[in-house]
Amino acid sequence: GEEVAQTPKHLVRGEGQKAKLYCAPIKGHSYVFWYQQVLKNEFKFLISFQNENVFDETGMPKERFSAKCLPNSPCSLEIQATKLEDSAVYFCASSPSWEQYFGPGTRLTVT
Amino acid sequence: SQQGEEDPQALSIQEGENATMNCSYKTSINNLQWYRQNSGRGLVHLILIRSNEREKHSGRLRVTLDTSKKSSSLLITASRAADTASYFCATDADSGGGADGLTFGKGTHLIIQP
């Protein structure tokens, strides 16, 4: 597709529950990124992939966050045992080189 | 820590006026990019300037980059109501890789008064 697609649009989870977010990057883009935006301001880089390989995961809280980008499947970001502080909008982006194309985001609310 | 820091945090101008936003960063970069975010939406890429470039134009946008001062500016000329949005600068690490995550500033919220 020509746009990055993200599902679901909204996700509500009780504290301690699992959350799984999906992203379909633009076809032909080799790079995929996940970002977290809290309070409509700061974007935090979480992880990047080059094809299905993790490139940089320095932003990931590793004990609870995991992500995959497998061939012929949407990419996913999974949060085990969600905490209140995980409430944010999670954006996926894909890129053919340097410019990144962002999806509309998934708003995660942890109650 | 945040790499890019924009100022001002908020800017309100009349339609037709020019809007200037500034961004500073801390470490060496490969590229600097500007993005726009409309309320409740994802980021839209506006313009990319490479570290060896000093100025770039795209339509009503003009971006400058001063690597000695580690700063950039975004000028929007002849502003329109539709330009109302938040604007973010973003930098990538000077590693030469396309898979480098971007480091964003906190953004400038621009309001164009009709």
Side-chain angles (χ1 to χ4, degrees), chain A residues 26-103:
Chain A
I26 294 172
K27 237 179 184 179
H29 285 190
S30 302
Y31 306 110
V32 173
F33 307 80
W34 285 98
Y35 295 89
Q36 177 194 58
Q37 186 184 28
V38 177
L39 298 174
K40 292 189 179 179
N41 284 324
E42 301 186 30
F43 286 86
K44 180 188 173 188
F45 165 70
L46 295 176
I47 190 169
S48 64
F49 290 83
Q50 184 169 5
N51 298 311
E52 63 266 24
N53 303 308
V54 174
F55 183 84
D56 182 355
E57 56 182 345
T58 52
M60 289 279 272
K62 288 187 187 171
E63 58 279 3
R64 296 186 299 110
F65 285 57
S66 63
K68 292 179 188 175
C69 263
L70 301 175
N72 303 313
S73 295
C75 297
S76 64
L77 175 69
E78 189 167 339
I79 309 172
Q80 303 284 345
T82 52
K83 296 183 178 181
L84 296 176
E85 69 222 38
D86 298 331
S87 294
V89 182
Y90 291 83
F91 288 99
C92 173
S94 69
S95 173
S97 59
W98 296 110
E99 301 91 4
Q100 296 187 16
Y101 297 81
F102 283 74

Coordinates of all heavy atoms in Angstrom, one line a residue, chain A residues 26-103:
Chain A
I26 N 4.7 0.6 4.2 CA 4.5 0.8 2.8 C 5.4 -0.2 2.0 O 6.5 -0.5 2.4 CB 5.0 2.2 2.4 CG1 4.0 3.2 3.0 CG2 5.0 2.4 0.8 CD1 4.4 4.7 2.9
K27 N 4.8 -0.8 1.0 CA 5.4 -1.9 0.3 C 6.7 -1.3 -0.4 O 6.7 -0.3 -0.9 CB 4.5 -2.4 -0.8 CG 4.2 -3.9 -0.8 CD 3.3 -4.3 -1.9 CE 2.9 -5.8 -1.8 NZ 2.0 -6.2 -2.8
G28 N 7.8 -2.1 -0.2 CA 9.0 -1.7 -0.8 C 9.9 -0.9 0.1 O 11.1 -0.7 -0.2
H29 N 9.4 -0.5 1.3 CA 10.2 0.2 2.3 C 11.0 -0.9 3.1 O 10.4 -1.8 3.6 CB 9.4 1.0 3.2 CG 8.9 2.3 2.5 ND1 8.3 3.3 3.3 CD2 8.9 2.7 1.3 CE1 8.0 4.3 2.4 NE2 8.3 3.9 1.2
S30 N 12.3 -0.6 3.2 CA 13.1 -1.6 3.9 C 13.2 -1.4 5.4 O 13.6 -2.3 6.2 CB 14.6 -1.5 3.4 OG 14.6 -1.8 2.0
Y31 N 12.8 -0.2 5.8 CA 13.0 0.2 7.2 C 11.7 0.4 7.9 O 10.8 1.1 7.3 CB 13.9 1.4 7.4 CG 15.2 1.4 6.6 CD1 15.5 2.1 5.5 CD2 16.2 0.5 7.1 CE1 16.7 2.0 4.8 CE2 17.4 0.4 6.4 CZ 17.6 1.2 5.3 OH 18.8 1.1 4.6
V32 N 11.6 -0.1 9.1 CA 10.4 0.2 9.9 C 10.8 0.7 11.3 O 11.8 0.2 11.9 CB 9.6 -1.1 10.1 CG1 8.4 -0.9 11.0 CG2 9.0 -1.6 8.7
F33 N 10.0 1.6 11.8 CA 10.3 2.2 13.1 C 9.1 2.3 14.0 O 8.0 2.4 13.5 CB 10.8 3.7 12.9 CG 11.9 3.8 11.9 CD1 11.6 3.8 10.5 CD2 13.2 4.0 12.3 CE1 12.7 4.0 9.6 CE2 14.2 4.1 11.4 CZ 14.0 4.1 10.1
W34 N 9.3 2.2 15.3 CA 8.2 2.4 16.3 C 8.6 3.6 17.2 O 9.8 3.6 17.6 CB 8.0 1.2 17.1 CG 7.2 0.1 16.5 CD1 7.8 -1.0 15.9 CD2 5.8 -0.1 16.3 NE1 6.8 -1.9 15.4 CE2 5.6 -1.3 15.6 CE3 4.7 0.7 16.7 CZ2 4.3 -1.7 15.3 CZ3 3.4 0.3 16.4 CH2 3.2 -0.9 15.7
Y35 N 7.6 4.5 17.4 CA 7.8 5.6 18.3 C 6.7 5.7 19.3 O 5.6 5.3 19.0 CB 7.9 6.9 17.5 CG 9.0 7.1 16.6 CD1 8.9 6.6 15.2 CD2 10.2 7.7 17.0 CE1 10.0 6.8 14.4 CE2 11.3 7.8 16.1 CZ 11.2 7.4 14.8 OH 12.2 7.5 13.9
Q36 N 7.0 6.3 20.4 CA 5.9 6.5 21.4 C 5.8 8.0 21.6 O 6.8 8.7 21.8 CB 6.4 5.8 22.7 CG 5.5 6.0 23.9 CD 6.1 5.6 25.2 OE1 7.2 6.1 25.6 NE2 5.5 4.6 25.9
Q37 N 4.6 8.5 21.6 CA 4.3 9.9 21.8 C 3.4 10.1 23.1 O 2.3 9.6 23.1 CB 3.7 10.6 20.7 CG 3.6 12.1 20.9 CD 2.9 12.9 19.8 OE1 2.0 12.3 19.1 NE2 3.2 14.1 19.6
V38 N 4.0 10.7 24.1 CA 3.2 10.9 25.3 C 2.8 12.4 25.3 O 3.6 13.3 25.0 CB 4.1 10.6 26.5 CG1 3.4 10.9 27.8 CG2 4.6 9.1 26.5
L39 N 1.6 12.6 25.7 CA 1.1 14.0 26.0 C 1.2 14.9 24.8 O 1.5 16.1 24.9 CB 1.8 14.6 27.2 CG 1.7 14.0 28.5 CD1 2.5 14.6 29.6 CD2 0.2 14.0 28.9
K40 N 1.1 14.4 23.6 CA 1.1 15.2 22.3 C 2.4 15.9 22.1 O 2.4 16.8 21.2 CB -0.1 16.2 22.3 CG -1.4 15.6 22.3 CD -2.5 16.7 22.1 CE -3.9 16.1 22.0 NZ -4.9 17.1 21.8
N41 N 3.4 15.6 22.8 CA 4.6 16.3 22.6 C 5.8 15.4 22.2 O 6.0 15.2 21.1 CB 5.0 17.2 23.8 CG 4.1 18.4 23.9 OD1 3.8 19.0 22.9 ND2 3.8 18.8 25.1
E42 N 6.4 14.9 23.2 CA 7.7 14.2 22.9 C 7.5 12.9 22.3 O 6.7 12.1 22.7 CB 8.5 14.1 24.2 CG 8.8 15.4 24.9 CD 9.7 15.3 26.1 OE1 10.5 14.4 26.1 OE2 9.5 16.1 27.0
F43 N 8.3 12.7 21.2 CA 8.3 11.4 20.6 C 9.6 10.7 21.1 O 10.7 11.2 21.1 CB 8.5 11.6 19.1 CG 7.3 12.0 18.4 CD1 7.0 13.4 18.3 CD2 6.4 11.1 17.8 CE1 5.8 13.8 17.6 CE2 5.3 11.5 17.1 CZ 5.0 12.8 17.1
K44 N 9.3 9.4 21.5 CA 10.5 8.6 21.9 C 10.7 7.5 20.9 O 9.7 6.7 20.7 CB 10.2 8.0 23.3 CG 11.3 7.2 23.8 CD 11.0 6.5 25.1 CE 12.1 5.5 25.5 NZ 11.7 4.7 26.7
F45 N 11.9 7.4 20.4 CA 12.2 6.3 19.5 C 12.3 5.0 20.3 O 12.9 4.9 21.4 CB 13.5 6.5 18.8 CG 14.1 5.3 18.1 CD1 13.6 4.8 17.0 CD2 15.3 4.7 18.7 CE1 14.1 3.7 16.4 CE2 15.8 3.6 18.0 CZ 15.2 3.1 16.9
L46 N 11.6 3.9 19.8 CA 11.7 2.6 20.5 C 12.6 1.6 19.8 O 13.5 1.1 20.4 CB 10.2 2.1 20.6 CG 9.2 2.9 21.4 CD1 7.8 2.2 21.3 CD2 9.7 2.9 22.9
I47 N 12.3 1.4 18.5 CA 13.0 0.3 17.8 C 13.0 0.5 16.3 O 12.0 1.1 15.8 CB 12.4 -1.1 18.2 CG1 13.3 -2.2 17.7 CG2 11.0 -1.2 17.7 CD1 12.9 -3.6 18.3
S48 N 14.0 0.0 15.6 CA 13.9 0.0 14.2 C 14.3 -1.3 13.6 O 15.1 -2.1 14.3 CB 14.9 1.1 13.6 OG 16.2 0.9 13.9
F49 N 13.8 -1.6 12.4 CA 14.1 -2.8 11.7 C 14.7 -2.5 10.3 O 14.2 -1.5 9.7 CB 12.8 -3.6 11.5 CG 12.3 -4.2 12.8 CD1 11.4 -3.5 13.6 CD2 12.5 -5.5 13.1 CE1 10.9 -4.0 14.8 CE2 12.0 -6.1 14.3 CZ 11.2 -5.3 15.1
Q50 N 15.6 -3.3 9.8 CA 15.9 -3.3 8.5 C 15.5 -4.6 7.9 O 16.0 -5.7 8.3 CB 17.4 -3.2 8.3 CG 17.9 -3.1 6.8 CD 19.3 -2.6 6.7 OE1 20.1 -2.5 7.6 NE2 19.7 -2.4 5.4
N51 N 14.4 -4.6 7.1 CA 13.7 -5.8 6.7 C 13.2 -6.5 8.0 O 12.6 -5.8 8.8 CB 14.5 -6.7 5.8 CG 14.9 -5.9 4.5 OD1 14.0 -5.3 3.8 ND2 16.2 -5.9 4.2
E52 N 13.5 -7.7 8.1 CA 12.9 -8.4 9.3 C 13.9 -8.4 10.5 O 13.7 -9.0 11.6 CB 12.5 -9.8 9.0 CG 13.6 -10.7 8.6 CD 13.7 -10.8 7.1 OE1 13.3 -9.8 6.4 OE2 14.3 -11.8 6.6
N53 N 15.1 -7.7 10.3 CA 16.1 -7.8 11.4 C 16.0 -6.5 12.2 O 16.0 -5.4 11.7 CB 17.5 -7.9 10.7 CG 17.6 -9.1 9.8 OD1 17.3 -10.2 10.2 ND2 18.0 -8.9 8.6
V54 N 16.1 -6.7 13.5 CA 16.2 -5.6 14.4 C 17.5 -4.8 14.2 O 18.6 -5.4 14.1 CB 16.2 -6.1 15.9 CG1 16.4 -4.9 16.8 CG2 14.9 -6.7 16.2
F55 N 17.4 -3.5 14.0 CA 18.6 -2.7 13.7 C 19.0 -2.0 15.0 O 20.2 -2.0 15.3 CB 18.3 -1.7 12.6 CG 19.5 -0.9 12.2 CD1 20.4 -1.3 11.3 CD2 19.7 0.4 12.8 CE1 21.6 -0.6 11.0 CE2 20.8 1.2 12.5 CZ 21.7 0.7 11.6
D56 N 18.1 -1.4 15.6 CA 18.4 -0.6 16.8 C 17.2 -0.7 17.8 O 16.1 -0.3 17.5 CB 18.6 0.9 16.4 CG 19.0 1.8 17.6 OD1 19.0 1.3 18.8 OD2 19.3 3.0 17.4
E57 N 17.5 -1.2 19.0 CA 16.4 -1.4 20.0 C 16.8 -0.7 21.3 O 16.3 -1.0 22.3 CB 16.1 -2.8 20.2 CG 17.3 -3.7 20.6 CD 16.9 -5.1 20.8 OE1 15.7 -5.5 20.9 OE2 17.9 -6.0 20.9
T58 N 17.6 0.3 21.2 CA 18.1 1.0 22.4 C 17.0 1.7 23.1 O 17.1 2.0 24.3 CB 19.2 2.0 22.0 OG1 18.7 2.9 21.0 CG2 20.4 1.3 21.6
G59 N 15.9 2.1 22.5 CA 14.8 2.8 23.1 C 13.7 1.9 23.8 O 12.8 2.4 24.4
M60 N 13.9 0.6 23.6 CA 12.9 -0.4 24.1 C 13.1 -0.7 25.6 O 14.2 -1.1 26.0 CB 12.9 -1.7 23.3 CG 12.4 -1.5 21.9 SD 10.7 -1.6 21.8 CE 10.4 -3.3 21.6
P61 N 12.0 -0.5 26.4 CA 12.1 -1.1 27.7 C 12.0 -2.6 27.6 O 10.9 -3.2 27.5 CB 10.8 -0.5 28.4 CG 10.3 0.5 27.5 CD 10.7 0.2 26.1
K62 N 13.1 -3.3 27.6 CA 13.2 -4.7 27.1 C 12.4 -5.7 28.0 O 12.0 -6.7 27.5 CB 14.7 -5.1 27.1 CG 15.4 -4.4 25.9 CD 16.8 -5.0 25.8 CE 17.5 -4.2 24.7 NZ 19.0 -4.6 24.7
E63 N 12.2 -5.3 29.2 CA 11.6 -6.3 30.1 C 10.1 -6.5 29.8 O 9.6 -7.6 30.0 CB 11.8 -6.0 31.6 CG 11.2 -4.7 32.0 CD 12.1 -3.5 31.7 OE1 13.2 -3.7 31.1 OE2 11.8 -2.4 32.1
R64 N 9.5 -5.5 29.1 CA 8.1 -5.7 28.9 C 7.7 -5.5 27.4 O 6.6 -5.9 27.0 CB 7.3 -4.7 29.7 CG 7.4 -5.0 31.2 CD 6.5 -4.1 32.0 NE 6.8 -2.7 31.8 CZ 6.0 -1.8 31.1 NH1 4.9 -2.2 30.6 NH2 6.3 -0.5 31.0
F65 N 8.6 -4.8 26.6 CA 8.3 -4.5 25.2 C 9.0 -5.5 24.3 O 10.2 -5.8 24.5 CB 8.7 -3.1 24.9 CG 7.8 -2.0 25.5 CD1 7.5 -1.9 26.8 CD2 7.3 -1.1 24.6 CE1 6.7 -0.9 27.3 CE2 6.5 0.0 25.1 CZ 6.2 0.1 26.4
S66 N 8.3 -5.9 23.3 CA 9.0 -6.7 22.2 C 8.4 -6.3 20.9 O 7.2 -5.8 20.8 CB 8.8 -8.2 22.5 OG 7.5 -8.5 22.4
A67 N 9.1 -6.5 19.8 CA 8.6 -6.2 18.5 C 9.1 -7.2 17.5 O 10.2 -7.7 17.6 CB 9.0 -4.7 18.1
K68 N 8.3 -7.3 16.4 CA 8.7 -8.2 15.3 C 8.3 -7.6 14.0 O 7.3 -6.9 13.9 CB 8.0 -9.6 15.5 CG 8.4 -10.4 16.6 CD 7.6 -11.7 16.6 CE 7.9 -12.5 17.9 NZ 7.0 -13.7 18.0
C69 N 9.1 -8.0 12.9 CA 8.7 -7.6 11.6 C 9.0 -8.9 10.7 O 10.1 -9.0 10.2 CB 9.5 -6.4 11.1 SG 8.7 -4.9 11.2
L70 N 8.1 -9.8 10.6 CA 8.3 -11.0 9.9 C 7.9 -10.9 8.5 O 6.9 -10.1 8.2 CB 7.6 -12.2 10.6 CG 8.0 -12.4 12.1 CD1 7.1 -13.5 12.7 CD2 9.4 -12.8 12.1
P71 N 8.5 -11.6 7.6 CA 8.1 -11.6 6.2 C 6.6 -11.9 6.0 O 6.1 -12.8 6.6 CB 9.0 -12.6 5.5 CG 10.1 -12.8 6.4 CD 9.6 -12.6 7.8
N72 N 5.9 -11.2 5.1 CA 4.5 -11.5 4.7 C 3.5 -11.4 5.9 O 2.5 -12.0 5.9 CB 4.4 -12.9 4.1 CG 5.3 -13.0 2.9 OD1 5.3 -12.1 2.0 ND2 6.1 -14.1 2.8
S73 N 3.9 -10.6 6.9 CA 3.0 -10.4 8.1 C 3.2 -8.9 8.5 O 4.2 -8.3 8.3 CB 3.4 -11.3 9.3 OG 3.3 -12.6 9.0
P74 N 2.1 -8.4 9.1 CA 2.3 -7.0 9.6 C 3.3 -7.0 10.7 O 3.5 -8.1 11.4 CB 0.9 -6.7 10.2 CG 0.0 -7.7 9.7 CD 0.7 -8.9 9.3
C75 N 4.0 -5.9 10.9 CA 4.9 -5.8 12.0 C 4.1 -5.6 13.3 O 2.9 -5.2 13.2 CB 5.8 -4.5 11.9 SG 6.9 -4.6 10.4
S76 N 4.6 -6.0 14.4 CA 3.9 -5.9 15.7 C 4.8 -5.3 16.8 O 6.0 -5.5 16.8 CB 3.3 -7.3 16.1 OG 4.4 -8.2 16.3
L77 N 4.1 -4.7 17.7 CA 4.7 -4.2 19.0 C 3.9 -4.7 20.1 O 2.6 -4.5 20.1 CB 4.7 -2.7 19.0 CG 5.3 -2.0 20.3 CD1 6.8 -2.3 20.4 CD2 5.0 -0.5 20.3
E78 N 4.5 -5.5 21.0 CA 3.7 -6.1 22.1 C 4.2 -5.6 23.4 O 5.5 -5.5 23.6 CB 3.9 -7.6 22.0 CG 2.9 -8.4 22.9 CD 2.9 -9.9 22.6 OE1 3.2 -10.2 21.5 OE2 2.5 -10.6 23.5
I79 N 3.3 -5.3 24.3 CA 3.6 -4.8 25.6 C 3.0 -5.8 26.6 O 1.8 -6.0 26.7 CB 3.1 -3.4 25.9 CG1 3.5 -2.4 24.9 CG2 3.6 -3.0 27.3 CD1 2.9 -1.1 25.0
Q80 N 3.9 -6.5 27.3 CA 3.4 -7.5 28.4 C 3.2 -6.7 29.6 O 3.9 -5.8 29.9 CB 4.5 -8.5 28.6 CG 4.9 -9.3 27.4 CD 3.9 -10.4 27.0 OE1 3.0 -10.7 27.8 NE2 4.0 -10.9 25.8
A81 N 2.2 -7.0 30.4 CA 2.0 -6.4 31.7 C 2.0 -4.9 31.6 O 2.9 -4.3 32.2 CB 3.0 -7.0 32.7
T82 N 1.0 -4.3 30.9 CA 1.1 -2.9 30.8 C 1.0 -2.1 32.1 O 0.4 -2.6 33.1 CB -0.1 -2.4 29.9 OG1 -1.3 -3.0 30.5 CG2 0.0 -2.9 28.5
K83 N 1.6 -1.0 32.1 CA 1.6 -0.1 33.2 C 0.9 1.2 32.8 O 0.8 1.6 31.6 CB 3.0 0.3 33.7 CG 3.8 -0.9 34.2 CD 5.2 -0.5 34.7 CE 5.9 -1.7 35.2 NZ 7.3 -1.3 35.7
L84 N 0.5 2.0 33.8 CA -0.2 3.3 33.5 C 0.6 4.2 32.6 O 0.1 4.9 31.8 CB -0.6 4.0 34.8 CG -1.6 3.3 35.7 CD1 -1.8 4.1 37.0 CD2 -2.9 3.1 35.0
E85 N 1.9 4.2 32.9 CA 2.9 5.0 32.2 C 3.0 4.7 30.7 O 3.6 5.4 29.9 CB 4.2 5.0 32.8 CG 5.0 3.7 32.7 CD 5.7 3.3 34.0 OE1 5.1 3.5 35.1 OE2 6.8 2.8 33.9
D86 N 2.5 3.5 30.3 CA 2.5 3.1 28.9 C 1.5 3.8 28.1 O 1.5 3.7 26.8 CB 2.4 1.6 28.8 CG 3.5 0.8 29.5 OD1 4.6 1.3 29.6 OD2 3.2 -0.4 29.9
S87 N 0.5 4.5 28.7 CA -0.5 5.2 28.0 C 0.1 6.2 27.1 O 0.9 7.1 27.6 CB -1.5 5.9 29.0 OG -2.2 4.9 29.7
A88 N -0.1 6.1 25.8 CA 0.5 7.0 24.8 C -0.1 6.7 23.5 O -0.9 5.8 23.3 CB 2.0 6.7 24.8
V89 N 0.4 7.5 22.5 CA 0.1 7.1 21.1 C 1.3 6.5 20.5 O 2.4 7.0 20.7 CB -0.4 8.3 20.3 CG1 -0.7 7.9 18.8 CG2 -1.6 9.0 20.9
Y90 N 1.2 5.3 19.9 CA 2.3 4.6 19.4 C 2.3 4.7 17.8 O 1.3 4.4 17.2 CB 2.3 3.1 19.8 CG 2.6 3.0 21.3 CD1 1.6 3.1 22.2 CD2 3.9 2.7 21.7 CE1 1.9 3.1 23.6 CE2 4.2 2.6 23.1 CZ 3.1 2.8 24.0 OH 3.4 2.7 25.3
F91 N 3.3 5.3 17.3 CA 3.4 5.5 15.8 C 4.4 4.5 15.2 O 5.5 4.3 15.7 CB 3.9 6.9 15.5 CG 2.8 8.0 15.8 CD1 2.9 8.7 17.0 CD2 1.8 8.2 14.9 CE1 1.9 9.7 17.3 CE2 0.8 9.2 15.2 CZ 0.9 9.9 16.4
C92 N 4.0 4.0 14.1 CA 4.9 3.2 13.3 C 5.2 4.1 12.1 O 4.4 4.9 11.6 CB 4.1 1.9 12.8 SG 5.0 0.9 11.6
A93 N 6.4 3.9 11.6 CA 6.9 4.6 10.4 C 7.7 3.6 9.5 O 8.3 2.7 10.0 CB 7.7 5.8 10.7
S94 N 7.6 3.9 8.2 CA 8.5 3.1 7.3 C 9.3 4.1 6.4 O 8.9 5.2 6.2 CB 7.7 2.1 6.5 OG 6.9 2.7 5.5
S95 N 10.3 3.6 5.9 CA 11.2 4.4 5.1 C 11.9 3.6 4.0 O 12.4 2.5 4.2 CB 12.2 5.1 6.0 OG 13.2 5.8 5.3
P96 N 12.1 4.2 2.8 CA 12.9 3.6 1.8 C 14.4 4.0 1.9 O 15.2 3.3 1.4 CB 12.3 4.2 0.5 CG 11.8 5.5 0.9 CD 11.4 5.5 2.3
S97 N 14.6 5.1 2.6 CA 16.0 5.6 2.8 C 16.1 6.5 4.0 O 16.3 6.0 5.1 CB 16.5 6.4 1.5 OG 15.6 7.5 1.2
W98 N 15.8 7.8 3.9 CA 16.0 8.7 5.0 C 14.6 9.3 5.5 O 14.4 9.4 6.7 CB 16.9 9.9 4.6 CG 18.3 9.4 4.3 CD1 18.9 9.4 3.1 CD2 19.2 8.9 5.3 NE1 20.2 8.9 3.2 CE2 20.4 8.5 4.5 CE3 19.2 8.6 6.6 CZ2 21.5 8.0 5.1 CZ3 20.3 8.1 7.2 CH2 21.5 7.8 6.5
E99 N 13.7 9.7 4.5 CA 12.5 10.3 5.0 C 11.6 9.2 5.5 O 11.5 8.1 4.9 CB 11.7 10.9 3.8 CG 12.5 12.0 3.1 CD 13.3 11.5 2.0 OE1 13.3 10.3 1.6 OE2 14.1 12.4 1.4
Q100 N 11.0 9.4 6.6 CA 10.1 8.4 7.3 C 8.6 8.8 7.0 O 8.2 10.0 7.1 CB 10.4 8.3 8.7 CG 11.8 7.8 9.0 CD 12.1 7.5 10.4 OE1 11.3 7.4 11.3 NE2 13.4 7.4 10.7
Y101 N 7.8 7.8 6.8 CA 6.4 8.0 6.5 C 5.7 7.3 7.7 O 5.8 6.1 7.9 CB 6.0 7.3 5.2 CG 6.7 7.9 4.0 CD1 8.0 7.6 3.7 CD2 6.0 8.8 3.2 CE1 8.6 8.2 2.6 CE2 6.7 9.4 2.1 CZ 8.0 9.1 1.8 OH 8.6 9.7 0.8
F102 N 4.9 8.2 8.3 CA 4.2 7.7 9.6 C 2.8 7.3 9.4 O 2.1 7.8 8.5 CB 4.2 8.9 10.6 CG 5.5 9.1 11.2 CD1 6.6 9.7 10.6 CD2 5.8 8.7 12.6 CE1 7.8 9.9 11.2 CE2 7.0 8.9 13.2 CZ 8.0 9.5 12.5
G103 N 2.4 6.3 10.2 CA 1.0 5.9 10.2 C 0.2 6.8 11.1 O 0.8 7.7 11.7

